[in-house]
Amino acid sequence: MYIEIYIDQFFAEQFLTGWILLHLAALAGNLRRKRGRLLFAAAIGAAEQCLYVITGWKWIPAAGYLLMAVLAFLPGERIRGIIYLLIASVCLGGVMESVFVIFPFPVAAGSLISGMICVMVWKWCLTNRRKLEEETTVILEWEGRQIRVRALIDTGNHLKEPATGRPVSILDRESAEILLENGWESRRGCFLIPYHSIGKEQGWMKGVSLDRMIIPSEEGDMEIGHPVFAISSGSVNLKNQYQVILNPEHIRR
């Protein structure tokens, strides 16, 4: 069987694929990268692939991977770079195979589309992982009663109790009614907490110091005594996915 290869086209395809692989490896491994280093490493990798086609020396592909990682990534990150480059190669290869089965794209276009798919999937996974890390379960205690609610750790929540400067988290009205019951203001008293929000320049929320808040975790429960909460006039989010907006300073304590 006779196969004709245009070496310039082959180099361009390998250069593009190599650059995509290096970019995916750097993204997945959170590695420091410079565009010039990635482009240079991709060019060297493409040149080695051309040499492999010409000579047939079997050690060239493995050496090419190692050299690409050494050239692309900074000292101290090269071992991780090699590992993530291998992982990226497996992932990109699988996606490319699926793409080429469904669509008869040229190699360069298929590589680019496959790389974009890998990047989008990785960013989607990363976003959802961060979302899970920003949400937690908290247990609120008041006069012997407890409720377990979902909380969003909001880094933009900088509410403070005016008199003491203590951090303030926000509890939705429905959960507050379950935990505190009617007439809680007259039994324990309350105070007002000023706030600013989009669509309303300023306002006031009733504040209360609960007996205890427990934040369960795999490392062990975090217990916070007498946390200050502001009572929202309604739900704290549109879809009612969580009932507490947690002040990040409560987590640090």
Side-chain angles (χ1 to χ4, degrees), residues 11-72:
F11 176 88
E13 293 170 350
Q14 293 302 310
F15 172 78
L16 177 61
T17 303
W19 181 83
I20 292 171
L21 286 173
L22 291 170
H23 182 73
L24 289 174
L27 180 65
N30 194 26
L31 304 173
R32 293 171 293 171
R33 57 194 184 275
K34 295 182 179 180
R35 183 179 300 176
R37 295 180 71 100
L38 294 184
L39 293 174
F40 180 68
I44 295 298
E48 288 188 316
Q49 291 299 319
C50 292
L51 183 62
Y52 170 66
V53 170
I54 295 171
T55 64
W57 295 340
K58 296 181 179 180
W59 55 268
I60 290 180
Y65 266 79
L66 293 175
L67 186 57
M68 284 174 61
V70 169
L71 294 174

Side-chain angles (χ1 to χ4, degrees), residues 64-122:
Y65 266 79
L66 293 175
L67 186 57
M68 284 174 61
V70 169
L71 294 174
F73 305 119
L74 300 176
E77 296 184 339
R78 285 168 179 161
I79 299 299
R80 289 171 58 204
I82 293 171
I83 294 172
Y84 280 103
L85 185 59
L86 292 173
I87 295 173
S89 299
V90 172
C91 295
L92 182 64
V95 174
M96 285 179 65
E97 185 175 353
S98 301
V99 168
F100 288 136
V101 167
I102 300 173
F103 304 102
F105 290 129
V107 174
S111 300
L112 186 59
I113 292 172
S114 300
M116 293 173 62
I117 292 173
C118 290
V119 169
M120 287 189 296
V121 171
W122 172 255

Side-chain angles (χ1 to χ4, degrees), residues 178-195:
I178 295 173
L179 177 65
L180 303 178
E181 295 185 341
N182 293 331
W184 64 272
E185 299 96 332
S186 60
R187 297 197 310 274
R188 297 276 290 266
C190 71
F191 42 86
L192 295 178
I193 297 174
Y195 74 96

